[in-house]
Amino acid sequence: MSEILTQGKPFNEEIWSAAECLSRDEIQALQLTRLRETVARVKDVPLYKDFFQREKISPESIRTLDDIRRLPFTTKAQLRENYPLNYLTVPREKLVRVHGSSGTHGKPTFVGYTREDIYRWADLCARFLYAGMCRAEHLVQVSFGYGLFTGGFGLHYGIERIGASILPAASGNTPRQIMLLQDLKADGLIATPSYALNIAEVVCEMGIKPSELPLKYAHFGAEAWTEEMRVKIEDQLGIKAYNNYGLSEILGPGVSGECRFQNGMHIQEDEFFVECLNPETLEPVAPGESGELVITNLNKEAMSLLRYRTRDIAVMDDSPCPCGRTTRRMGRVMGRSDDMLVIRGVNVFPTQVEEAILKVEGVTPHFLMEVTRPKTQDELTVYVEIQPDFFSDKMSEMENLRSKILHEIHVITGLRVNLVIKEPKSLERFTGKAKRVIDKRDLHKIN
Ligand code: DLL
């Protein structure tokens, strides 16, 4: 493997800028070399072997990066067919770790890592954490679950790689999380945005002011969230909140992350080739249009996926970033195409509902969407919680609030929905990824 193994060297600007400040020509040359190596590495994997033989794909046949379009796509269903790990590119005994993605379909999808993969993963997480202000002198509380989920361990080793201290709190027991944050004076927090919201709510209930919390920043990922949610959490915890993205099949966290300018997530292009495609035609979308992210591993030893269809919908951004990194950026993931609801022909993502309700004063970010089909038409019911001081006995006040919420949802989604206003603290709180949709239609979900 062509590798700049930086393990053992202190993590500093020299290390990250060597990978993140290359010229476009340099990045593309590196990607092409690594794409050819990847093709060589996966040629005997059952997922690709027949296709390669039939289409005469070899490392030499990949002449330019555009030739990636000759390579096959990979889907989650194919990984399931090759359960548990029939897509490794190294003998099983070379693995030092196995993680798994939380499958909604029963069994997880497993992912293997060699020792080099683990080192490189730590570097990748360290890079985006550093871009988002994490430094060696900090203490960072990791409130992600540690386990098959890649979030806890992925971020853990990234923080350690920077030389900062970790408080591996894991998720749950929110009052204790707050005690740890306060007593140990954590500078940074790692969590899902919905868990951070949960923490912020308990902070408020405990009568602690944002200024009394030592926290300076947080890195949130693993689920979709909106700019409105960022503003809310930053305000409530008195921090800067940075977004980071990844998925287990490809690595885990570390595919991309925001720098201090918070204007999109820098893609770690030396390790991943990211395409943004129209999910129907599988052709590249026009610049500025949203599409499905399709990711190819360029440098993973234990397993490398070609053109993995993430189902995540986002927009690519090629504009320069004032931080000096030259890597392409991706906007927020609006949601997964399989989370997208189609209600009476209109596409709706939970993030659109989040964006809409947070525009209305007095509404909390806790909501739930329920889809039913009472007769022949789909109905969407949105449950929202409102803040205690906005809950009123006066019909007219409640009606006024209702019509504002319905209006915002209509403006953003184009849909007329049923709205149920819930009392404060009546909807479920989450410690990991939030579940915002209950689909009660009797349909089989296609993946
Ligand atoms: O969630 C990896 C991760 C952990 C990323 C911690 C960031 C931080 P999975 O459990 O396999 O892996 O879920 C991957 O989560 O396809 C997206 O749909 C979603 N996702 C991850 N990060 C973001 C994000 C981890 N920043 C799936 N914004 C992905 C929106 C995200 N969605």
Side-chain angles (χ1 to χ4, degrees), residues 85 88-98 113-115 301-302:
L85 274 168
L88 293 181
T89 43
V90 293
R92 190 98 164 220
E93 45 300 355
K94 271 206 83 183
L95 297 186
V96 298
R97 181 101 63 83
V98 176
Y113 305 78
T114 63
R115 189 169 303 283
E301 195 178 38

mmCIF file of all heavy atoms in Angstrom, residues 85 88-98 113-115 301-302:
data_model
loop_
_atom_site.group_PDB
_atom_site.id
_atom_site.type_symbol
_atom_site.label_atom_id
_atom_site.label_comp_id
_atom_site.label_asym_id
_atom_site.label_seq_id
_atom_site.Cartn_x
_atom_site.Cartn_y
_atom_site.Cartn_z
ATOM 1 N N LEU A 85 -18.473 -11.368 6.229
ATOM 2 C CA LEU A 85 -17.308 -10.551 5.839
ATOM 3 C C LEU A 85 -16.703 -11.065 4.537
ATOM 4 O O LEU A 85 -15.478 -11.065 4.377
ATOM 5 C CB LEU A 85 -16.237 -10.602 6.946
ATOM 6 C CG LEU A 85 -16.365 -9.613 8.089
ATOM 7 C CD1 LEU A 85 -15.426 -9.957 9.234
ATOM 8 C CD2 LEU A 85 -16.122 -8.170 7.647
ATOM 9 N N LEU A 88 -13.539 -9.250 2.274
ATOM 10 C CA LEU A 88 -12.236 -8.800 2.767
ATOM 11 C C LEU A 88 -11.191 -8.919 1.663
ATOM 12 O O LEU A 88 -11.286 -9.796 0.800
ATOM 13 C CB LEU A 88 -11.795 -9.645 3.960
ATOM 14 C CG LEU A 88 -12.603 -9.503 5.241
ATOM 15 C CD1 LEU A 88 -12.014 -10.392 6.342
ATOM 16 C CD2 LEU A 88 -12.643 -8.043 5.703
ATOM 17 N N THR A 89 -10.183 -8.041 1.729
ATOM 18 C CA THR A 89 -9.087 -8.118 0.758
ATOM 19 C C THR A 89 -7.799 -8.572 1.438
ATOM 20 O O THR A 89 -6.726 -8.494 0.853
ATOM 21 C CB THR A 89 -8.881 -6.745 0.086
ATOM 22 O OG1 THR A 89 -8.968 -5.737 1.081
ATOM 23 C CG2 THR A 89 -9.935 -6.479 -0.961
ATOM 24 N N VAL A 90 -7.931 -8.998 2.690
ATOM 25 C CA VAL A 90 -6.774 -9.557 3.413
ATOM 26 C C VAL A 90 -7.255 -10.837 4.104
ATOM 27 O O VAL A 90 -8.460 -10.995 4.321
ATOM 28 C CB VAL A 90 -6.245 -8.581 4.509
ATOM 29 C CG1 VAL A 90 -5.638 -7.340 3.895
ATOM 30 C CG2 VAL A 90 -7.334 -8.219 5.515
ATOM 31 N N PRO A 91 -6.337 -11.747 4.458
ATOM 32 C CA PRO A 91 -6.769 -12.913 5.222
ATOM 33 C C PRO A 91 -7.359 -12.473 6.558
ATOM 34 O O PRO A 91 -6.927 -11.455 7.129
ATOM 35 C CB PRO A 91 -5.467 -13.702 5.451
ATOM 36 C CG PRO A 91 -4.445 -13.088 4.566
ATOM 37 C CD PRO A 91 -4.897 -11.723 4.188
ATOM 38 N N ARG A 92 -8.335 -13.221 7.028
ATOM 39 C CA ARG A 92 -9.071 -12.849 8.248
ATOM 40 C C ARG A 92 -8.125 -12.560 9.421
ATOM 41 O O ARG A 92 -8.375 -11.666 10.226
ATOM 42 C CB ARG A 92 -10.020 -14.009 8.567
ATOM 43 C CG ARG A 92 -11.012 -13.745 9.616
ATOM 44 C CD ARG A 92 -12.353 -13.363 9.018
ATOM 45 N NE ARG A 92 -13.357 -13.475 10.046
ATOM 46 C CZ ARG A 92 -14.569 -13.957 9.891
ATOM 47 N NH1 ARG A 92 -14.962 -14.366 8.714
ATOM 48 N NH2 ARG A 92 -15.409 -14.025 10.885
ATOM 49 N N GLU A 93 -6.991 -13.311 9.474
ATOM 50 C CA GLU A 93 -6.116 -13.129 10.645
ATOM 51 C C GLU A 93 -5.375 -11.787 10.629
ATOM 52 O O GLU A 93 -4.798 -11.390 11.623
ATOM 53 C CB GLU A 93 -5.173 -14.299 10.883
ATOM 54 C CG GLU A 93 -4.384 -14.981 9.834
ATOM 55 C CD GLU A 93 -5.096 -15.653 8.656
ATOM 56 O OE1 GLU A 93 -6.348 -15.723 8.597
ATOM 57 O OE2 GLU A 93 -4.363 -16.094 7.770
ATOM 58 N N LYS A 94 -5.434 -11.072 9.509
ATOM 59 C CA LYS A 94 -4.794 -9.738 9.494
ATOM 60 C C LYS A 94 -5.689 -8.647 10.093
ATOM 61 O O LYS A 94 -5.259 -7.519 10.309
ATOM 62 C CB LYS A 94 -4.426 -9.330 8.059
ATOM 63 C CG LYS A 94 -3.034 -9.807 7.651
ATOM 64 C CD LYS A 94 -2.419 -8.935 6.583
ATOM 65 C CE LYS A 94 -1.754 -7.681 7.148
ATOM 66 N NZ LYS A 94 -1.226 -6.794 6.104
ATOM 67 N N LEU A 95 -6.951 -9.018 10.374
ATOM 68 C CA LEU A 95 -7.847 -8.017 10.983
ATOM 69 C C LEU A 95 -7.436 -7.776 12.432
ATOM 70 O O LEU A 95 -7.043 -8.709 13.124
ATOM 71 C CB LEU A 95 -9.300 -8.500 10.978
ATOM 72 C CG LEU A 95 -9.970 -8.733 9.631
ATOM 73 C CD1 LEU A 95 -11.450 -9.069 9.846
ATOM 74 C CD2 LEU A 95 -9.833 -7.523 8.731
ATOM 75 N N VAL A 96 -7.541 -6.512 12.843
ATOM 76 C CA VAL A 96 -7.355 -6.262 14.279
ATOM 77 C C VAL A 96 -8.643 -5.735 14.909
ATOM 78 O O VAL A 96 -8.727 -5.562 16.113
ATOM 79 C CB VAL A 96 -6.198 -5.277 14.571
ATOM 80 C CG1 VAL A 96 -4.868 -5.827 14.096
ATOM 81 C CG2 VAL A 96 -6.461 -3.907 13.966
ATOM 82 N N ARG A 97 -9.653 -5.437 14.096
ATOM 83 C CA ARG A 97 -10.919 -4.905 14.649
ATOM 84 C C ARG A 97 -12.056 -5.192 13.672
ATOM 85 O O ARG A 97 -11.849 -5.181 12.453
ATOM 86 C CB ARG A 97 -10.781 -3.399 14.845
ATOM 87 C CG ARG A 97 -11.980 -2.684 15.422
ATOM 88 C CD ARG A 97 -11.829 -2.379 16.910
ATOM 89 N NE ARG A 97 -10.722 -1.486 17.199
ATOM 90 C CZ ARG A 97 -10.806 -0.156 17.095
ATOM 91 N NH1 ARG A 97 -11.931 0.431 16.738
ATOM 92 N NH2 ARG A 97 -9.773 0.602 17.380
ATOM 93 N N VAL A 98 -13.229 -5.425 14.226
ATOM 94 C CA VAL A 98 -14.440 -5.522 13.401
ATOM 95 C C VAL A 98 -15.499 -4.617 14.027
ATOM 96 O O VAL A 98 -15.723 -4.662 15.240
ATOM 97 C CB VAL A 98 -14.971 -6.979 13.334
ATOM 98 C CG1 VAL A 98 -16.286 -7.035 12.560
ATOM 99 C CG2 VAL A 98 -13.947 -7.905 12.676
ATOM 100 N N TYR A 113 -10.936 -4.075 9.826
ATOM 101 C CA TYR A 113 -9.819 -3.118 9.802
ATOM 102 C C TYR A 113 -8.527 -3.863 10.090
ATOM 103 O O TYR A 113 -8.491 -4.693 11.009
ATOM 104 C CB TYR A 113 -9.975 -2.052 10.895
ATOM 105 C CG TYR A 113 -11.280 -1.287 10.858
ATOM 106 C CD1 TYR A 113 -12.444 -1.865 11.363
ATOM 107 C CD2 TYR A 113 -11.347 -0.004 10.340
ATOM 108 C CE1 TYR A 113 -13.649 -1.179 11.335
ATOM 109 C CE2 TYR A 113 -12.545 0.695 10.316
ATOM 110 C CZ TYR A 113 -13.692 0.102 10.811
ATOM 111 O OH TYR A 113 -14.888 0.778 10.792
ATOM 112 N N THR A 114 -7.471 -3.526 9.356
ATOM 113 C CA THR A 114 -6.133 -4.019 9.713
ATOM 114 C C THR A 114 -5.503 -2.995 10.650
ATOM 115 O O THR A 114 -6.064 -1.912 10.858
ATOM 116 C CB THR A 114 -5.218 -4.126 8.476
ATOM 117 O OG1 THR A 114 -5.055 -2.801 7.945
ATOM 118 C CG2 THR A 114 -5.795 -5.048 7.425
ATOM 119 N N ARG A 115 -4.326 -3.316 11.133
ATOM 120 C CA ARG A 115 -3.651 -2.372 12.026
ATOM 121 C C ARG A 115 -3.407 -1.041 11.307
ATOM 122 O O ARG A 115 -3.629 0.030 11.850
ATOM 123 C CB ARG A 115 -2.327 -2.983 12.510
ATOM 124 C CG ARG A 115 -1.659 -2.174 13.604
ATOM 125 C CD ARG A 115 -0.516 -2.931 14.244
ATOM 126 N NE ARG A 115 -0.920 -4.210 14.802
ATOM 127 C CZ ARG A 115 -1.575 -4.362 15.968
ATOM 128 N NH1 ARG A 115 -1.883 -3.317 16.690
ATOM 129 N NH2 ARG A 115 -1.901 -5.554 16.404
ATOM 130 N N GLU A 301 -7.120 -1.098 3.621
ATOM 131 C CA GLU A 301 -6.437 -2.361 3.375
ATOM 132 C C GLU A 301 -7.358 -3.567 3.529
ATOM 133 O O GLU A 301 -7.405 -4.446 2.672
ATOM 134 C CB GLU A 301 -5.269 -2.470 4.366
ATOM 135 C CG GLU A 301 -4.272 -3.537 4.012
ATOM 136 C CD GLU A 301 -3.108 -3.559 4.994
ATOM 137 O OE1 GLU A 301 -3.326 -3.365 6.216
ATOM 138 O OE2 GLU A 301 -1.971 -3.776 4.546
ATOM 139 N N ALA A 302 -8.132 -3.613 4.624
ATOM 140 C CA ALA A 302 -8.894 -4.828 4.923
ATOM 141 C C ALA A 302 -10.080 -5.031 3.998
ATOM 142 O O ALA A 302 -10.445 -6.160 3.681
ATOM 143 C CB ALA A 302 -9.378 -4.791 6.374
#
